[in-house]
């Protein structure tokens, strides 16, 4: 099957008629991707739902009242903001090719509804190769569509991430099991088994005693009552699931509304207030440190030129004092030496005459006086401060610290003050965004009520599930009793040729069904594991899977052969798991159904997105319709997909007309 064209008229945001070609412009090229781009609210989900609505009508919702369905249709009629006369009808038309018994036929399904007062008049029209579908009665047209595209299969291939995840992780989901049976072709064998069992039961009743017939009839009546109760519970569960989905949507919308009003700041208010106090305390401590510096050496560091002059003056005075002390010491030594020279015993000798000795002493005294005479004091060395040696050392050390250490310390302190001050400003700005209790508290109370209501619905759902399980077990017991009675009748009577043939065929079908199921399941397990490893970024996360051939329960195993709970998978991993299973089912079944994927990358990280864009989208199906925002499939991903894109549409919401404008091409081309 391949979808050719979709046409919507006055549907949701779409005013008038909009037509989408769903096949590649060049039919000779393999370009399976039909890409719909649009921002949130532009109409992507409207188109996604329109295909299901066109095909299945009210049955796309499961059990739903006529009033609710008609209200849904009313809301789907476009409400024009620029015209006086409002549209009172809407329509969806889907054209597709479908091959049956080797012949490809072109079908067109059109669903139109008109609002007339409080009622909605709905019309379904089907044509085959351009002519009315006359080989099927009009009242059976809906069943005909479901026969071509079973509703269960559509819920698999029309990929709504959250719903598919719930189906794939719920091992008790009968709808998923029936869909898998249908895809693998096992439902035909089961129907044949059921028909043979009915035939055998009727045949045995004719040749049995009245008491046995009565007992079997009672058991079958009891079984029919149980099956009716099971159907009722399944209908109630489907309706409840729709209610839960709607309520979950309301809760999500309300959470988004609260978040838009500053919920994050509200929840973080206590932390913000505590942080504000800490920052104010830190800033005060830094200010105190700055005041200490200002009372200390900071002024010296600021007046560095004056400090350098002071340093030179103090050093000069210190040097002058040292020179003066040395001069006094030298002068004393000089006098002492001169006195020694003038003494009578200095160089007294018989060989030296008194005249020579006198001359020598005079010359020696002149030399000593010259050598020991201190230089005259410089005018700049005039003493101003008169510091002691200890005071001089303290002053010089203080000046050195002020000039070399204080600037770096002050830079660090001021940087710390600036960072703390900016953080305080940011914290105060966030606190200013905290909504008042009087404003947001009622919203929280409403959200709590909705969550309580959802909890009650989930409990009711669990109760329904328990009742269904209990009734199913009771039905199995009754079937076993009926089968025992039939076997008893068979053993006590001679079997006719027809009955012998039926029993033999039943035995063969049991073996055939098991053999076929095991064969299909083995192929499915292998195909799933291969595709999951391709799409998932952790190659060793799921090493293999096992599928029970009777219950179709899926068990995951890691590389250590330990089982993995599906609940341990993240939302992104669950989506990869679901896509891998669908891809494997499509491969093993050979079914040629289009994939329709809504917001495919929202829950995935970059690695998973890369794998999906490069491996899944181009190769999973012969037709892949993708509904995406510009942040999911961005320029980078679009360039990778472009060689496989057959058609691209950009949905733009126009604020002036309050409607969606359809343009060919994606956001950037």
């Amino acid at each position: 099957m391949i979808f050719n064209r979709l046409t919507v008229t006055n549907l949701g945001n779409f005013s008038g008629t909009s037509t989408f070609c769903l096949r590649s412009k060049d039919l000779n090229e393999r370009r399976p991707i039909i890409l719909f781009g649009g921002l949130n609210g532009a109409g992507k989900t409207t188109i996604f739902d329109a295909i299901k609505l066109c095909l299945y009508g009210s049955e796309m919702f499961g059990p739903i009242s006529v009033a609710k369905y008609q209200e849904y249709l009313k809301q789907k009629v476009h409400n024009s903001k620029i015209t006086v006369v409002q549209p009172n009808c809407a329509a969806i038309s889907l054209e597709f090719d479908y091959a049956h018994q080797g012949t490809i036929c072109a079908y067109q399904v059109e669903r139109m509804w008109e609002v007339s007062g409080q009622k909605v008049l709905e019309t379904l029209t089907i044509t085959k190769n351009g002519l009315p579908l006359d080989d099927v009665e009009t009242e059976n047209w809906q069943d005909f569509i479901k026969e071509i595209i079973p509703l269960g299969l559509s819920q698999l291939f029309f990929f709504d991430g959250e719903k598919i995840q719930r189906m794939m992780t719920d091992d008790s989901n009968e709808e998923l099991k029936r869909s898998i049976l249908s895809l693998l072709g096992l439902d035909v064998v089961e129907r044949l088994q059921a028909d043979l069992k009915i035939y055998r039961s009727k045949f045995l009743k004719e040749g049995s005693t009245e008491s046995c017939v009565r007992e079997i009839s009672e058991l079958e009546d009891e079984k029919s009552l149980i099956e009716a109760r099971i159907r009722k519970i399944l209908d109630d569960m489907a309706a409840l699931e729709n209610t839960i989905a709607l309520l979950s949507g309301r809760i999500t919308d309300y959470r988004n509304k609260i978040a838009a009003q500053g919920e994050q700041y509200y929840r973080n208010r206590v932390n913000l207030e505590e942080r504000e106090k800490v920052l104010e305390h830190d800033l005060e401590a830094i200010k105190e440190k700055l005041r200490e510096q200002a009372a200390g050496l900071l002024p010296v560091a600021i007046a560095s030129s004056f400090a350098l002059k002071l340093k030179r003056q103090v050093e000069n005075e210190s040097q002058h004092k040292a020179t003066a002390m040395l001069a006094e010491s030298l002068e004393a030594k000089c006098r002492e030496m001169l006195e020694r020279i003038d003494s009578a015993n200095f160089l007294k000798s018989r060989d030296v005459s008194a005249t020579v000795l006198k001359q020598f002493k005079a010359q020696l005294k002149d030399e000593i006086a010259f050598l020991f005479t201190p230089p005259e004091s410089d005018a700049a060395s005039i003493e101003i401060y008169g510091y002691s040696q200890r005071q001089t050392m303290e002053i010089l050390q203080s000046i050195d610290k002020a000039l070399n250490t204080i600037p770096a310390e002050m830079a660090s302190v001021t940087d710390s003050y600036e960072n703390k001050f900016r953080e305080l400003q940011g914290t105060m700005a966030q606190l200013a965004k905290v909504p008042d209790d009087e404003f947001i508290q009622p919203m929280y109370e409403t959200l709590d009520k909705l969550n309580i209501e959802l909890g009650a619905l989930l409990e009711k759902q669990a109760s329904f599930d328990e009742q269904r399980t209990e009734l199913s077990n009771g039905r199995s017991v009754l079937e076993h009793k009926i089968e025992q009675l039939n076997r008893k009748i068979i053993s006590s009577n001679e079997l006719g040729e027809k009955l012998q043939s039926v029993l033999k065929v039943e035995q063969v079908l049991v073996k055939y069904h098991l053999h076929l199921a095991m064969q299909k399941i083995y192929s499915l397990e292998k195909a799933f594991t291969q595709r999951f490893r391709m799409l998932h970024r952790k190659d060793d996360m799921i090493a293999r899977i096992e599928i029970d051939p009777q219950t179709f329960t899926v068990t995951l195993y890691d590389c250590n052969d330990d089982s993995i709970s599906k609940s341990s998978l993240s939302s992104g991993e669950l989506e990869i798991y679901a896509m891998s299973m669908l891809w494997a089912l499509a491969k093993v079944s050979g079914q040629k159904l289009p994939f329709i994927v809504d917001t495919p990358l929202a829950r995935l990280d970059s690695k998973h997105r890369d794998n999906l864009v490069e491996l899944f989208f181009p190769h999973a199906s012969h037709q892949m319709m993708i509904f995406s925002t510009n942040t999911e499939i961005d320029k980078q991903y679009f360039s990778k997909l472009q060689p496989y894109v057959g058609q691209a549409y950009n949905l733009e919401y126009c604020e002036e007309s309050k409607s969606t404008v359809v343009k060919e091409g994606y956001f950037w081309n």
Side-chain angles (χ1 to χ4, degrees), residues 507-519:
Q507 292 174 357
V508 170
L509 281 178
V510 169
K511 294 180 180 179
Y512 175 73
H513 184 275
L514 181 61
H515 177 76
L516 183 60
M518 292 178 66
Q519 187 180 41

Side-chain angles (χ1 to χ4, degrees), residues 99-115:
H100 181 63
Q101 295 181 349
T103 303
I104 298 177
C105 297
Y107 291 89
Q108 180 181 10
V109 179
E110 183 179 36
R111 190 177 299 274
M112 185 183 73
W113 60 96
E114 181 180 358
V115 179

Side-chain angles (χ1 to χ4, degrees), residues 290-315:
L290 288 171
R291 284 191 285 268
E292 291 177 0
Q293 294 281 21
L297 296 176
L298 180 60
V300 179
I302 295 174
S304 58
S305 59
F306 294 101
L308 288 172
K309 289 181 180 180
L310 174 62
K311 180 181 180 181
R312 286 194 295 271
Q313 179 63 34
V314 170
E315 286 176 341

Side-chain angles (χ1 to χ4, degrees), residues 327-343 365 368-369 372-374:
E328 290 179 1
S329 177
L330 289 176
E331 187 176 357
K333 289 295 183 182
C334 182
R335 285 196 301 270
E336 183 180 349
M337 292 183 69
L338 292 176
E339 289 175 357
R340 292 284 299 274
I341 291 172
D342 287 336
S343 65
K365 287 168 68 176
I368 290 174
F372 282 85
T373 300

